[in-house]
Amino acid sequence: MTETDATPASAAARSADRRTEGQWAMGERAPLNANEQFKQHEDPLKVRERIEQVYSRTGFSGIDPDDLRGRFRWWGLYTQRKPGIDGGRTAVLAPEELEDEHFMLRVRVDGGRLDAAQLRTVADVSMRFARNTADITDRQNIQLHWVRIEDVPAIWRRLEAVGLSTTEACGDCPRVIVGSPVAGVAAAEVLDATPAVEEIVARYVGDASLSNLPRKFKSAVSWLPDVPYQVNDVAFLGVVHPELGPGFGLWVGGGLSTQPMLAQPVGVWVPLAEVPEVWVAVARLFRDYGYRRLRHRARLKFLVADWGVERFRAVLEDEYLHRRLLDGPPPLLPGLPLDHIGVHPQRDGRSYVGAAPVVGRLSGSRLAALADAAETHGSGRVRLTPYQKLLVLDVVDPEPLVRELRGLGLEAEPSSWRRDTMACTGIEYCKLAIVETKERAAGLVAELERRFDGSPVRLTVNVNGCPNSCARTQVADIGLKGQLVNGPDGSQVEGFQVHLGGGLALAQDEQGGFGRKLRGLKTTADELPDYVDRLTRRYLAGRHGDTETFAQWAERAPDEELR
């Protein structure tokens, strides 16, 4: 064990804590819940050998429960929801009653970077092994469904042959590194963060010393603020030091779910070459000091909230980096948020084209056609965004590509509703979901396009199937949290709790914050289009000029205007 791999506990850190929560650095090594027990019993990464040598031959019925519902996640595998189980039974049924004998498989795409060969491989896997399913997530991954355990080794061989993997795509470990989809090509970018992303992935994804973290560890590394950096455990965003020039600021402790917190700026300046070193120092600090007693308090955000940023920085510097970090400035944000939809110039004179599927839903066949289009009109390079959208890079003549993408259901000139609506997986496949999301959101987009044809209004709508906020409920203009509500006849039907006016600090004059929750503000799923229509028209009629944002209006509007 190296010095940086040790689990230190300074006297100051010890004395500041009157009670422990299963923190390794405090000597609390005994596993305090079932997840900690199976992780301590065996490194979850080792389950791959059993998948390849045993389970792919014996089939679903032969899978050990700790592997099935625990260690499989470290290789991107979750059992999917058994069809036909309504949302009212989500919290009632045992896991074995909820789960189907098929899997969701998450392919990690760090920085959202894909080439044509990789796209074709994912497309082939989808069509051969996943019933032609493929969804872009809001963390730049691709998720496949209907995967059989018997086919997983063959899928891995195909993916890994082109440089893709599912390693640590889920689990209590370093998840995909979110990065700017225009890294290396954007005219406005000063430093390309790609080398840092690549080094982190090469050195630390699959590293046994980081495969047993207290909970998931989400990261973002980007020069441009075109990623939701404030909802990550650790994030690096471009800043310019007045004397030392361009580098990266550091944020820690973000995360949503049922107890949302925005990442806090540490106030430091990190040169590009040192980003991997600081990243792994934060990861190791989380490993050693993170809470392990209660799963719902095990994310890094709870440690940061309890310690405060000053103490966090002191422990990071004293015990992990063994040096002081330089103080740094805040980021310079653009005038408007960046989503890269449409045609935009690259720094080399060519263009990139950003296009919107409907709430991230694609298919293997469309991915294959996208690969062909990217090669025909560009270099074959494609990027995924953390908003369930995609980009084709290196395009000389954009208009033919725009037309071809439109034929694939990928719109480079979308309505604002299609452009700004996201949805999580929902009850179709997710065992935690209470309501349907993808089809519901797609229907909402279509109906609002019809009702607001040609309207320039821009509102973000994030549709979530449960309280876990995978589609970022709390930071949308209109955030929808799936739950059962009373219908017109008093019976329980699918619906949503409504959050209004949330957002992130992605542009000048924007303040990150969570949406308002008015007492009893809910809508049934069937009434959702009417509610969003009514709310939008009230905003357009009541705002103070064209520059007042929905969040600003929602903050001051009387409650009755928001219902």
Side-chain angles (χ1 to χ4, degrees):
M1 179 179 290
T2 67
E3 181 179 4
T4 53
D5 281 331
T7 57
S10 67
R14 284 181 180 276
S15 64
D17 288 288
R18 296 186 177 182
R19 66 184 180 89
T20 58
E21 297 198 45
Q23 296 162 288
W24 286 2
M26 302 299 176
E28 291 268 336
R29 287 284 184 159
L32 300 175
N33 58 55
N35 283 273
E36 291 300 312
Q37 288 170 3
F38 78 69
K39 290 190 294 179
Q40 185 182 85
H41 178 72
E42 181 188 52
D43 180 356
L45 290 170
K46 292 183 178 180
V47 77
R48 174 164 177 158
E49 182 177 355
R50 287 194 291 281
I51 293 173
E52 293 177 320
Q53 301 300 323
V54 180
Y55 300 143
S56 65
R57 299 172 183 176
T58 62
F60 187 89
S61 62
I63 302 173
D64 178 88
D66 278 348
D67 287 344
L68 179 65
R69 301 180 191 105
R71 300 182 188 96
F72 272 28
R73 289 177 286 158
W74 273 250
W75 289 98
L77 287 161
Y78 284 104
T79 49
Q80 66 187 43
R81 189 186 190 94
K82 187 178 296 181
I85 299 177
D86 65 67
R89 303 173 71 194
T90 295
V92 177
L93 297 179
E96 60 271 19
E97 297 176 288
L98 273 172
E99 63 196 9
D100 193 67
E101 294 189 0
H102 293 87
F103 292 87
M104 179 274 285
L105 180 64
R106 183 177 295 157
V107 182
R108 65 182 296 154
V109 187
D110 292 277
R113 298 159 56 86
L114 290 166
D115 60 33
Q118 292 170 329
L119 267 177
R120 289 196 180 96
T121 297
V122 175
D124 178 66
V125 167
S126 169
M127 290 184 285
R128 285 176 183 265
F129 302 113
R131 301 189 187 180
N132 204 30
T133 59
D135 289 336
I136 303 174
T137 76
D138 62 5
R139 290 196 62 81
Q140 298 175 294
N141 296 303
I142 295 178
Q143 290 186 173
L144 309 175
H145 299 281
W146 298 109
V147 171
R148 303 187 317 141
I149 194 63
E150 292 89 341
D151 297 326
V152 170
I155 293 172
W156 281 338
R157 287 194 297 271
R158 285 167 167 80
L159 292 175
E160 290 167 3
V162 293
L164 293 173
S165 84
T166 69
T167 310
E168 296 186 327
C170 313
D172 300 348
C173 51
R175 303 288 188 90
V176 67
I177 312 295
V178 171
S180 172
V182 293
V185 303
E189 182 184 64
V190 178
L191 279 181
D192 179 1
T194 301
V197 174
E198 291 177 339
E199 183 176 345
I200 291 169
V201 172
R203 294 182 62 182
Y204 302 119
V205 172
D207 178 354
S209 74
L210 296 177
S211 65
N212 182 0
L213 301 179
R215 279 295 301 272
K216 66 183 74 171
F217 187 64
K218 294 184 175 182
S219 307
V221 183
S222 175
W223 174 266
L224 293 173
D226 55 358
V227 298
Y229 64 98
Q230 291 173 296
V231 298
N232 285 268
D233 296 278
V234 61
F236 296 84
L237 194 69
V239 299
V240 178
H241 192 283
E243 298 174 358
L244 301 172
F248 292 84
L250 172 65
W251 280 255
V252 294
L256 297 178
S257 191
T258 56
Q259 298 184 67
M261 302 181 196
L262 294 182
Q264 300 183 48
V266 181
V268 300
W269 178 87
V270 181
L272 175 61
E274 295 178 10
V275 167
E277 176 192 9
V278 177
W279 179 91
V280 76
V282 175
R284 288 168 176 159
L285 187 158
F286 176 45
R287 176 195 62 193
D288 301 339
Y289 282 104
Y291 303 148
R292 294 175 182 263
R293 183 180 300 276
L294 301 173
R295 293 285 289 174
H296 71 270
R297 273 184 52 82
R299 289 288 296 275
L300 180 61
K301 63 186 179 183
F302 294 101
L303 182 68
V304 173
D306 287 349
W307 277 11
V309 169
E310 288 186 8
R311 181 182 173 194
F312 187 94
R313 177 176 175 177
V315 174
L316 181 69
E317 293 174 335
D318 293 344
E319 299 185 10
Y320 293 88
L321 293 171
H322 308 290
R323 62 182 175 84
R324 294 285 177 259
L325 293 168
L326 296 172
D327 291 340
L332 296 175
L333 299 177
L336 295 171
L338 305 172
D339 69 0
H340 306 301
I341 298 300
V343 178
H344 301 270
Q346 296 181 181
R347 64 176 56 170
D348 62 4
R350 294 180 291 183
S351 298
Y352 66 85
V353 178
V358 179
V359 295
R361 176 132 291 178
L362 289 169
S363 65
S365 53
R366 282 206 282 169
L367 288 177
L370 174 63
D372 291 343
E375 279 195 328
T376 299
H377 302 281
S379 65
R381 295 198 295 170
V382 170
R383 298 289 181 266
L384 309 180
T385 86
Y387 301 94
Q388 300 180 337
K389 310 300 188 291
L390 60 88
L391 279 58
V392 177
L393 305 188
D394 308 325
V395 179
V396 175
D397 184 4
E399 287 310 311
L401 174 62
V402 169
R403 291 193 296 271
E404 187 166 344
L405 292 175
R406 182 171 294 131
L408 298 175
L410 304 171
E411 184 56 67
E413 299 171 337
S415 71
S416 62
W417 301 107
R418 180 168 178 157
R419 182 172 186 165
D420 296 324
T421 299
M422 298 197 304
C424 72
T425 298
I427 203 169
E428 181 180 11
Y429 298 118
C430 179
K431 301 190 301 293
L432 302 177
I434 301 169
V435 304
E436 208 287 323
T437 55
K438 288 288 190 184
E439 289 300 320
R440 183 71 63 182
L444 176 66
V445 167
E447 180 61 19
L448 294 172
E449 285 177 335
R450 184 186 68 80
R451 297 188 189 189
F452 290 89
D453 184 27
S455 172
V457 63
R458 294 286 304 273
L459 299 178
T460 56
V461 181
N462 292 1
V463 185
N464 293 263
C466 78
N468 288 314
S469 195
C470 292
R472 306 198 284 267
T473 306
Q474 300 95 334
V475 293
D477 287 319
I478 303 173
L480 301 167
K481 183 181 81 172
Q483 58 182 220
L484 297 181
V485 302
N486 290 328
D489 62 357
S491 63
Q492 293 266 284
V493 297
E494 289 192 1
F496 300 92
Q497 181 191 66
V498 181
H499 299 236
L500 296 173
L504 299 174
L506 301 175
Q508 296 172 19
D509 301 323
E510 286 190 344
Q511 301 294 322
F514 303 126
R516 287 181 65 184
K517 290 189 296 181
L518 274 62
R519 182 181 295 275
L521 181 52
K522 302 173 184 178
T523 177
T524 67
D526 287 343
E527 294 169 342
L528 181 60
D530 288 341
Y531 173 71
V532 177
D533 180 314
R534 181 169 68 248
L535 186 68
T536 303
R537 294 185 191 279
R538 287 175 177 173
Y539 160 60
L540 293 174
R543 63 183 174 177
H544 291 162
D546 293 346
T547 60
E548 185 175 35
T549 66
F550 181 86
Q552 292 166 339
W553 173 80
E555 184 176 6
R556 67 171 179 80
D559 289 2
E560 58 270 19
E561 285 288 292
L562 303 177
R563 296 185 183 276

